[in-house]
Amino acid sequence: MKKSLSIFLLLFLGIFLIGCGKNDVKTSQEYQDIIVKREDFPHFEEDFAEDGENHLLKYLGTQFLGEEPIQLWAERHAEEDGSSSIYKWGLDGKRELLADGISDHFTIGGYEWYLDRDGCFYLVNSSDDDNLLRKLDSQGQELFRIDRTDSFPWQIQDICQNPDRQVYLMRYGANGFALAELDPGTGRVAVLDKIKVDPAGQFGASSYLGAGVKGPAVCRDLDMREADIGTGELTDVLLFSETSYSVWGSGSYGYLEEVSDFRVTEKGSAEILKTNSYGSPAYIERLSLETVQRIPGVRCAPGVSDWLKRQIVRFNQENSVYHVIAEELGRSDGTGEAEYADAMEDFIRNIGIQLATGKGPDILFGEKVLGGNVIDMIEKGILEDLKPYMESTGVSEEDYFPLAD
């Protein structure tokens, strides 16, 4: 916890203590920011605990059923007949029995369950297993399955059903992510080649599929976009960069909260469901784009890491006065060592010019950037001692410097 406080202290103090341009008067500016209203699911296990019996409960999935946010849970009857009961769980804390007598084979495996509007279940296996997807009816009978073959060598990462009841898949292969259309009657998969979701393999592991208003929508760390099936065009719904919103939730390792499902609303905003691999906590985030007043603080670097982006987002979320912006200066398009060295050289040169004119970023750190110039920068009044401010906030050097090592 102290390390987190140190991160926020560094960002907060740097906004007005680092003196490159400190003679400038910082005034509030208008920003378009994403405002979040969160509502949590009640704990599913507590509803079963009321009868005083022991239950084997298994989390299956979190999704939107149309506009309704739901969770799917299984109550296993392992000691009786090796079957499970499948329940729907809502934000109102009420459970509804959807299916009974479902084989434990489907509930104890690595499947993520998805309920469609016709009461059928899709079981998605996003691991490297050859068994990729199954469709069951409400009685647990298998309607079809999709296996990994030479003609279908991909993984299935995600699934969604649009308001028109069409089912879409996010598949992943050697060329990155791509969208596909699934025939719910036959199980045939048609790849949507027109939609260039990930032409350069840049989306990484954090690409999510959700329901748009007219077509499927894709969400990643930086943005949310809706696809036009006819033209293949991707239209921005929300841009997360430079806002206080983060797609990632709290937690770490198996408890990391990430996007389970999302949908684009008729008003052009979005609702996002998040949970961890255990299904608790689980919550909905209702997003809206609004104008806010903040004092800007700029942090410059040749490249901004994902870790630092998350810390900036966390600071912006918890601060109603200041807004930190990450600017990447001198960044080339290359990714090799030579290109990075050129980018760093450009960055240091740009920073030197800015500092010489009394301007520059509000927050600046890094051994390669500061080099042997720290003493000179202190003498010129560019840097300011943080010790008095650390003492006044109760953060000691022992809390801060291990983090910086």
Side-chain angles (χ1 to χ4, degrees):
M1 180 63 182
K2 289 184 178 179
K3 289 187 176 183
S4 296
L5 289 174
S6 299
I7 294 168
F8 295 141
L9 179 69
L10 173 64
L11 292 173
F12 179 69
L13 293 180
I15 285 172
F16 58 91
L17 294 181
I18 295 181
C20 36
K22 68 179 182 181
N23 292 326
D24 297 338
V25 177
K26 295 292 185 180
T27 58
S28 295
Q29 296 181 10
E30 286 190 351
Y31 289 94
Q32 289 291 305
D33 201 5
I34 294 176
I35 306 302
V36 180
K37 293 183 179 179
R38 169 172 164 166
E39 184 178 0
D40 286 64
F41 281 86
H43 290 290
F44 183 73
E45 296 90 337
E46 294 177 358
D47 189 55
F48 280 85
E50 292 178 357
D51 59 19
E53 297 182 7
N54 293 324
H55 297 269
L56 296 173
L57 302 177
K58 177 70 165 58
Y59 167 68
L60 301 178
T62 300
Q63 64 167 93
F64 285 102
L65 181 61
E67 298 181 4
E68 180 188 7
I70 66 167
Q71 284 194 302
L72 298 177
W73 289 80
E75 180 191 15
R76 296 177 53 217
H77 312 295
E79 297 180 357
E80 299 175 12
D81 56 2
S83 68
S84 297
S85 301
I86 310 300
Y87 289 92
K88 182 180 78 169
W89 182 247
L91 283 172
D92 59 2
K94 296 180 180 179
R95 57 176 158 130
E96 176 186 343
L97 179 64
L98 299 176
D100 221 348
I102 304 297
S103 171
D104 276 355
H105 172 72
F106 296 128
T107 57
I108 63 176
Y111 295 110
E112 183 171 355
W113 285 53
Y114 186 90
L115 175 65
D116 73 10
R117 297 190 181 193
D118 298 316
C120 296
F121 303 101
Y122 291 91
L123 282 58
V124 178
N125 185 352
S126 60
S127 68
D128 290 331
D129 293 344
D130 290 336
N131 178 19
L132 302 179
L133 182 143
R134 295 173 182 261
K135 183 178 181 180
L136 310 180
D137 65 16
S138 59
Q139 305 302 313
Q141 299 300 309
E142 185 173 286
L143 301 177
F144 62 75
R145 61 186 288 175
I146 298 175
D147 294 324
R148 191 193 309 275
T149 63
D150 291 339
S151 59
F152 197 97
W154 308 290
Q155 292 176 312
I156 297 177
Q157 294 292 115
D158 210 347
I159 186 171
C160 78
Q161 186 179 41
N162 255 45
D164 61 2
R165 296 180 181 264
Q166 180 57 56
V167 178
Y168 297 98
L169 304 175
M170 176 78 82
R171 67 175 181 83
Y172 181 76
N175 296 321
F177 290 91
L179 292 183
E181 195 171 23
L182 175 67
D183 186 321
T186 66
R188 294 187 61 180
V189 177
V191 178
L192 301 173
D193 292 322
K194 285 185 179 181
I195 305 173
K196 304 301 182 183
V197 173
D198 190 18
Q202 297 174 346
F203 262 33
S206 55
S207 300
Y208 308 99
L209 181 64
V213 177
K214 296 182 179 179
V218 178
C219 180
R220 59 172 186 162
D221 290 359
L222 298 178
D223 54 32
M224 181 184 295
R225 299 181 292 174
E226 182 170 343
D228 186 310
I229 298 300
T231 65
E233 182 180 358
L234 287 163
T235 304
D236 291 334
V237 177
L238 287 172
L239 300 177
F240 304 137
S241 180
E242 307 300 351
T243 73
S244 63
Y245 182 73
S246 174
V247 169
W248 297 95
S250 303
S252 59
Y253 304 108
Y255 294 93
L256 177 65
E257 299 160 11
E258 57 180 322
V259 177
S260 295
D261 197 9
F262 71 95
R263 74 180 193 93
V264 179
T265 69
E266 291 283 352
K267 295 181 179 180
S269 189
E271 297 180 341
I272 297 182
L273 293 172
K274 292 180 182 177
T275 188
N276 55 33
S277 58
Y278 301 97
S280 182
Y283 51 91
I284 181 174
E285 293 181 333
R286 297 181 174 93
L287 311 185
S288 60
L289 192 63
E290 300 181 14
T291 300
V292 297
Q293 292 280 342
R294 297 285 190 275
I295 297 175
V298 181
R299 185 275 183 192
C300 294
V304 182
S305 68
D306 289 341
W307 177 86
L308 184 56
K309 287 178 181 177
R310 292 189 190 183
Q311 307 315 313
I312 292 173
V313 165
R314 290 173 62 190
F315 175 84
N316 287 339
Q317 285 176 337
E318 297 187 10
N319 197 283
S320 60
V321 178
Y322 296 94
H323 184 87
V324 175
I325 302 169
E327 287 187 355
E328 300 186 64
L329 298 181
R331 187 71 180 269
S332 70
D333 293 332
T335 56
E337 292 183 7
E339 290 84 353
Y340 180 81
D342 291 342
M344 178 63 74
E345 184 178 340
D346 286 346
F347 174 72
I348 294 174
R349 182 170 58 253
N350 278 322
I351 290 297
I353 294 172
Q354 292 178 14
L355 295 179
T357 60
K359 304 293 182 180
D362 298 288
I363 303 173
L364 179 66
F365 65 91
E367 182 180 354
K368 291 183 179 179
V369 178
L370 297 173
N373 302 318
V374 174
I375 300 300
D376 184 56
M377 295 170 75
I378 292 174
E379 291 176 349
K380 291 181 179 179
I382 294 174
L383 301 180
E384 189 165 341
D385 186 6
L386 297 181
K387 188 174 181 179
Y389 302 95
M390 295 175 69
E391 291 176 347
S392 67
T393 56
V395 178
S396 67
E397 293 184 11
E398 289 74 18
D399 297 329
Y400 173 71
F401 283 105
L403 181 66
D405 287 344

